[in-house]
Coordinates of all heavy atoms in Angstrom, one line a residue:
M24 N 47.3 13.4 88.4 CA 47.2 12.6 89.6 C 48.4 11.7 89.5 O 48.7 11.0 88.6 CB 45.9 11.8 89.6 CG 45.7 10.9 90.8 SD 44.2 10.1 90.6 CE 43.6 10.0 92.2
K25 N 49.1 11.6 90.7 CA 50.3 10.8 90.8 C 49.9 9.3 91.0 O 49.0 9.0 91.7 CB 51.2 11.2 91.9 CG 51.8 12.6 91.6 CD 52.7 13.1 92.7 CE 53.3 14.4 92.3 NZ 54.2 14.9 93.2
K26 N 50.7 8.4 90.5 CA 50.5 7.0 90.6 C 51.0 6.6 92.0 O 52.0 7.0 92.6 CB 51.4 6.3 89.6 CG 51.2 4.8 89.5 CD 52.0 4.3 88.4 CE 52.9 3.2 88.8 NZ 53.8 2.7 87.7
I27 N 50.2 5.8 92.7 CA 50.5 5.3 94.1 C 51.4 4.0 94.0 O 51.0 3.0 93.3 CB 49.2 5.0 94.9 CG1 48.4 6.2 95.0 CG2 49.5 4.3 96.2 CD1 47.1 6.0 95.7
I28 N 52.5 4.1 94.6 CA 53.5 3.1 94.6 C 53.3 2.3 96.0 O 53.5 2.8 97.0 CB 54.9 3.6 94.5 CG1 55.1 4.6 93.3 CG2 55.9 2.5 94.5 CD1 54.9 3.9 92.0
P29 N 53.0 0.9 95.8 CA 52.9 0.2 97.0 C 54.3 0.0 97.8 O 55.3 -0.1 97.1 CB 52.4 -1.2 96.7 CG 52.6 -1.2 95.2 CD 52.8 0.2 94.6
I30 N 54.3 0.2 99.1 CA 55.5 0.1 99.9 C 55.7 -1.4 100.1 O 54.9 -2.1 100.6 CB 55.3 0.8 101.2 CG1 54.9 2.3 101.0 CG2 56.6 0.7 102.1 CD1 56.0 3.1 100.4
E31 N 57.0 -1.7 99.8 CA 57.5 -3.2 100.0 C 58.6 -3.2 100.9 O 59.3 -2.1 101.2 CB 57.8 -3.8 98.6 CG 56.7 -3.9 97.7 CD 57.1 -4.3 96.3 OE1 58.2 -4.4 96.1 OE2 56.2 -4.6 95.5
E32 N 59.0 -4.4 101.4 CA 60.2 -4.5 102.2 C 61.4 -4.0 101.5 O 61.7 -4.3 100.3 CB 60.4 -5.9 102.6 CG 61.5 -6.1 103.7 CD 61.5 -7.5 104.3 OE1 60.5 -8.1 104.2 OE2 62.6 -7.8 104.8
G33 N 62.2 -3.1 102.2 CA 63.4 -2.6 101.5 C 63.3 -1.2 100.9 O 64.2 -0.5 100.5
D34 N 62.0 -0.7 100.9 CA 61.7 0.6 100.4 C 62.0 1.8 101.4 O 62.2 2.9 100.9 CB 60.2 0.7 99.9 CG 60.0 0.0 98.6 OD1 60.9 -0.4 98.0 OD2 58.7 -0.1 98.4
F35 N 62.1 1.5 102.6 CA 62.4 2.5 103.6 C 62.9 1.9 104.9 O 62.8 0.7 105.0 CB 61.1 3.4 103.9 CG 60.1 2.6 104.7 CD1 60.1 2.8 106.1 CD2 59.1 1.8 104.2 CE1 59.2 2.1 106.9 CE2 58.2 1.2 105.0 CZ 58.2 1.4 106.4
Y36 N 63.4 2.7 105.7 CA 63.9 2.3 107.1 C 63.5 3.5 108.0 O 63.3 4.7 107.6 CB 65.4 2.0 107.1 CG 66.3 3.1 106.7 CD1 66.8 4.0 107.7 CD2 66.8 3.3 105.4 CE1 67.7 5.0 107.4 CE2 67.6 4.4 105.1 CZ 68.0 5.2 106.0 OH 68.9 6.2 105.8
W37 N 63.5 3.3 109.3 CA 63.3 4.3 110.3 C 64.5 4.9 110.8 O 65.5 4.2 111.2 CB 62.5 3.7 111.5 CG 61.2 3.2 111.1 CD1 60.7 1.9 110.8 CD2 60.0 4.0 110.8 NE1 59.4 1.9 110.4 CE2 58.9 3.1 110.4 CE3 59.7 5.4 110.8 CZ2 57.6 3.6 110.1 CZ3 58.4 5.8 110.5 CH2 57.4 5.0 110.2
T38 N 64.6 6.2 110.8 CA 65.8 6.8 111.3 C 65.8 6.8 112.8 O 64.7 6.6 113.5 CB 65.9 8.3 110.8 OG1 64.8 9.0 111.4 CG2 65.8 8.4 109.3
P39 N 66.9 7.0 113.5 CA 66.9 7.1 115.0 C 65.9 8.2 115.5 O 65.4 8.1 116.6 CB 68.3 7.5 115.4 CG 69.1 7.0 114.2 CD 68.2 7.2 113.0
E40 N 65.6 9.2 114.7 CA 64.7 10.2 115.2 C 63.2 9.9 115.0 O 62.3 10.6 115.4 CB 64.9 11.6 114.4 CG 66.3 12.2 114.7 CD 67.4 11.5 113.7 OE1 67.1 10.8 112.7 OE2 68.5 11.7 114.1
G41 N 63.0 8.7 114.3 CA 61.6 8.2 114.1 C 61.0 8.6 112.8 O 59.8 8.4 112.6
Y42 N 61.8 9.1 111.9 CA 61.3 9.4 110.5 C 61.5 8.2 109.6 O 62.4 7.5 109.7 CB 62.0 10.6 109.9 CG 61.8 11.9 110.7 CD1 62.8 12.4 111.6 CD2 60.6 12.6 110.6 CE1 62.5 13.5 112.3 CE2 60.3 13.7 111.3 CZ 61.3 14.2 112.2 OH 61.1 15.3 112.9
R43 N 60.6 8.1 108.6 CA 60.7 7.1 107.6 C 61.6 7.7 106.5 O 61.4 8.7 106.0 CB 59.3 6.8 106.9 CG 59.4 5.6 106.1 CD 58.1 5.2 105.5 NE 56.9 6.0 105.9 CZ 55.7 5.6 105.7 NH1 55.4 4.5 105.1 NH2 54.7 6.4 106.0
C44 N 62.7 6.9 106.1 CA 63.6 7.3 105.1 C 63.6 6.4 103.9 O 63.9 5.3 104.1 CB 65.0 7.4 105.7 SG 66.3 8.0 104.5
F45 N 63.2 6.9 102.7 CA 63.1 6.1 101.6 C 64.4 5.7 101.0 O 65.3 6.6 101.0 CB 62.1 6.7 100.5 CG 60.7 6.8 101.0 CD1 60.1 8.0 101.4 CD2 59.9 5.6 100.9 CE1 58.8 8.0 101.8 CE2 58.6 5.7 101.3 CZ 58.0 6.8 101.7
T46 N 64.5 4.5 100.6 CA 65.8 4.1 100.0 C 65.9 4.3 98.5 O 64.9 4.7 97.9 CB 66.0 2.5 100.3 OG1 64.9 1.8 99.5 CG2 65.9 2.2 101.7
E47 N 67.1 4.1 97.9 CA 67.3 4.2 96.5 C 66.3 3.3 95.7 O 65.8 3.6 94.7 CB 68.7 3.9 96.1 CG 69.0 4.0 94.7 CD 70.5 3.8 94.4 OE1 71.3 3.4 95.3 OE2 70.8 3.7 93.1
Q48 N 66.1 2.1 96.3 CA 65.1 1.1 95.7 C 63.8 1.7 95.5 O 63.2 1.6 94.4 CB 65.0 -0.1 96.6 CG 63.9 -1.1 96.2 CD 63.8 -2.2 97.2 OE1 64.9 -2.8 97.5 NE2 62.6 -2.5 97.7
Y49 N 63.3 2.4 96.5 CA 61.9 3.0 96.3 C 62.0 4.2 95.3 O 61.0 4.3 94.5 CB 61.4 3.6 97.6 CG 60.2 4.3 97.5 CD1 58.9 3.7 97.4 CD2 60.1 5.7 97.4 CE1 57.8 4.3 97.3 CE2 58.9 6.4 97.3 CZ 57.7 5.7 97.2 OH 56.6 6.4 97.0
H50 N 63.0 5.0 95.3 CA 63.0 6.2 94.4 C 63.1 5.7 93.0 O 62.4 6.2 92.0 CB 64.2 7.0 94.7 CG 64.2 7.7 96.0 ND1 63.2 8.8 96.2 CD2 64.8 7.6 97.2 CE1 63.3 9.2 97.4 NE2 64.3 8.6 98.0
L51 N 63.9 4.6 92.7 CA 63.9 4.1 91.4 C 62.5 3.5 90.9 O 62.1 3.6 89.8 CB 65.0 3.0 91.2 CG 66.4 3.5 91.3 CD1 67.4 2.4 91.4 CD2 66.8 4.4 90.1
K52 N 61.9 2.9 91.8 CA 60.6 2.3 91.6 C 59.5 3.5 91.3 O 58.7 3.3 90.3 CB 60.0 1.5 92.7 CG 59.2 0.4 92.4 CD 58.8 -0.5 93.6 CE 59.1 -0.2 94.9 NZ 58.5 -1.1 96.0
R53 N 59.7 4.5 92.0 CA 58.8 5.7 91.7 C 59.0 6.3 90.3 O 58.1 6.7 89.7 CB 59.0 6.7 92.8 CG 58.1 7.9 92.7 CD 58.2 8.8 93.9 NE 59.5 9.4 93.8 CZ 60.0 10.1 94.7 NH1 59.3 10.4 95.8 NH2 61.2 10.6 94.7
G54 N 60.3 6.3 89.9 CA 60.6 6.7 88.5 C 60.9 8.2 88.2 O 61.1 8.5 87.1
Y55 N 60.9 9.0 89.3 CA 61.3 10.4 89.0 C 61.9 11.0 90.2 O 61.7 10.5 91.4 CB 60.0 11.2 88.5 CG 59.0 11.3 89.6 CD1 59.0 12.4 90.4 CD2 58.0 10.3 89.7 CE1 58.0 12.5 91.5 CE2 57.0 10.4 90.6 CZ 57.0 11.6 91.5 OH 56.0 11.6 92.5
C56 N 62.6 12.2 90.0 CA 63.1 12.9 91.2 C 62.1 14.0 91.7 O 61.6 14.8 90.9 CB 64.4 13.6 90.8 SG 65.2 14.6 92.1
C57 N 61.9 14.1 93.0 CA 61.0 15.0 93.5 C 61.6 16.4 93.8 O 61.0 17.3 94.2 CB 60.2 14.4 94.7 SG 61.4 14.1 96.1
E58 N 62.9 16.4 93.7 CA 63.8 17.6 94.0 C 63.6 18.1 95.4 O 63.6 19.3 95.7 CB 63.5 18.7 93.0 CG 63.9 18.3 91.6 CD 63.7 19.4 90.6 OE1 63.1 20.4 90.9 OE2 64.1 19.1 89.4
S59 N 63.5 17.2 96.4 CA 63.4 17.5 97.7 C 64.7 17.4 98.6 O 64.8 17.5 99.7 CB 62.3 16.7 98.4 OG 61.1 17.0 97.9
G60 N 65.7 16.8 97.8 CA 67.0 16.6 98.5 C 67.1 15.3 99.3 O 67.6 15.3 100.4
C61 N 66.4 14.3 98.8 CA 66.3 13.0 99.5 C 67.7 12.4 99.8 O 68.6 12.5 98.9 CB 65.5 12.0 98.7 SG 63.8 12.6 98.4
R62 N 67.9 11.8 100.9 CA 69.1 11.3 101.3 C 69.6 10.2 100.4 O 70.9 10.1 100.2 CB 68.9 10.6 102.7 CG 70.2 10.1 103.4 CD 69.9 9.6 104.7 NE 69.6 10.6 105.6 CZ 69.2 10.5 106.9 NH1 69.1 9.3 107.4 NH2 68.9 11.5 107.6
H63 N 68.7 9.4 99.8 CA 69.2 8.3 98.9 C 68.8 8.5 97.5 O 68.5 7.5 96.8 CB 68.7 7.0 99.4 CG 69.1 6.6 100.8 ND1 70.4 6.3 101.1 CD2 68.4 6.7 101.9 CE1 70.5 6.1 102.4 NE2 69.3 6.3 102.9
C64 N 68.8 9.8 97.0 CA 68.4 10.1 95.6 C 69.3 9.5 94.5 O 70.5 9.7 94.5 CB 68.3 11.6 95.4 SG 67.8 12.1 93.7
P65 N 68.8 8.6 93.7 CA 69.6 7.9 92.7 C 69.7 8.8 91.4 O 70.4 8.4 90.5 CB 68.9 6.6 92.3 CG 67.4 7.0 92.6 CD 67.4 7.9 93.7
Y66 N 69.0 9.9 91.4 CA 69.0 10.8 90.2 C 70.0 11.9 90.2 O 70.1 12.7 89.3 CB 67.6 11.4 90.0 CG 66.6 10.3 89.9 CD1 65.7 10.0 90.9 CD2 66.4 9.6 88.7 CE1 64.8 9.0 90.8 CE2 65.5 8.5 88.6 CZ 64.7 8.2 89.7 OH 63.8 7.2 89.5
G67 N 70.8 12.0 91.3 CA 71.9 13.0 91.3 C 71.5 14.3 91.8 O 72.3 15.3 91.6
Y68 N 70.2 14.5 92.2 CA 69.8 15.9 92.6 C 70.5 16.3 94.0 O 70.6 15.4 94.9 CB 68.3 15.9 92.9 CG 67.8 17.2 93.2 CD1 67.7 18.3 92.3 CD2 67.5 17.6 94.6 CE1 67.2 19.6 92.7 CE2 67.1 18.8 94.9 CZ 67.0 19.8 94.0 OH 66.5 21.0 94.4
N69 N 71.0 17.5 94.0 CA 71.6 17.9 95.3 C 71.1 19.4 95.5 O 71.3 20.3 94.7 CB 73.1 17.9 95.1 CG 73.9 18.4 96.3 OD1 73.3 19.1 97.2 ND2 75.1 18.0 96.4
K70 N 70.4 19.6 96.6 CA 69.8 20.9 96.9 C 70.8 22.0 96.9 O 70.6 23.2 96.6 CB 69.0 20.9 98.2 CG 67.6 20.5 98.1 CD 67.0 20.6 99.5 CE 65.6 21.0 99.4 NZ 64.9 21.1 100.6
A71 N 72.0 21.7 97.5 CA 73.1 22.7 97.7 C 73.6 23.2 96.4 O 74.1 24.3 96.3 CB 74.2 22.1 98.5
T72 N 73.7 22.3 95.3 CA 74.3 22.7 94.1 C 73.4 23.0 92.9 O 73.9 23.4 91.9 CB 75.3 21.6 93.6 OG1 74.7 20.4 93.4 CG2 76.5 21.5 94.7
T73 N 72.1 22.6 93.0 CA 71.2 22.8 91.9 C 70.4 24.1 92.1 O 69.9 24.3 93.2 CB 70.2 21.6 91.9 OG1 70.9 20.4 91.8 CG2 69.3 21.7 90.8
P74 N 70.4 25.0 91.1 CA 69.8 26.2 91.3 C 68.2 26.0 91.3 O 67.7 25.0 90.8 CB 70.1 26.9 90.0 CG 70.7 26.0 89.1 CD 71.1 24.8 89.9
T75 N 67.5 26.9 92.1 CA 66.1 26.8 92.2 C 65.4 27.2 90.9 O 65.9 28.1 90.2 CB 65.6 27.5 93.4 OG1 65.9 28.9 93.2 CG2 66.1 27.0 94.7
R76 N 64.2 26.6 90.7 CA 63.4 27.0 89.6 C 62.6 28.2 89.9 O 62.1 28.3 91.1 CB 62.5 25.9 89.1 CG 63.3 24.7 88.5 CD 62.4 23.8 87.9 NE 61.9 22.9 89.1 CZ 60.9 22.1 89.1 NH1 60.3 21.9 87.9 NH2 60.5 21.4 90.1
K77 N 62.3 29.0 89.0 CA 61.4 30.2 89.2 C 60.2 30.1 88.5 O 60.0 29.5 87.4 CB 62.1 31.5 88.9 CG 63.3 31.8 89.8 CD 63.9 33.1 89.5 CE 65.0 33.4 90.5 NZ 65.6 34.6 90.2

């Protein structure tokens, strides 16, 4: 079961399209990379250059 991280000010912003975009602050608080190619990933994950797992 994953730990629930409470959302605080500065953890996300709304994109012009209406989506919630998590910031580097939130990702660091969460403590791991989800490998989804997040816009503000502080862990250096890049979908384009990282091979997929099998």
Side-chain angles (χ1 to χ4, degrees):
M24 183 179 213
K25 294 185 179 181
K26 186 172 123 182
I27 295 177
I28 307 296
I30 303 294
E31 298 173 351
E32 189 169 334
D34 283 349
F35 73 93
Y36 62 89
W37 295 103
T38 67
E40 297 82 19
Y42 295 103
R43 187 174 5 191
C44 184
F45 289 104
T46 63
E47 182 178 357
Q48 171 184 308
Y49 175 78
H50 292 292
L51 289 171
K52 209 172 12 173
R53 186 175 61 188
Y55 65 91
C56 179
C57 62
E58 297 183 354
S59 294
C61 300
R62 185 177 292 175
H63 301 290
C64 181
Y66 301 105
Y68 181 80
N69 184 338
K70 269 184 148 176
T72 60
T73 306
T75 57
R76 291 185 282 170
K77 292 184 180 181

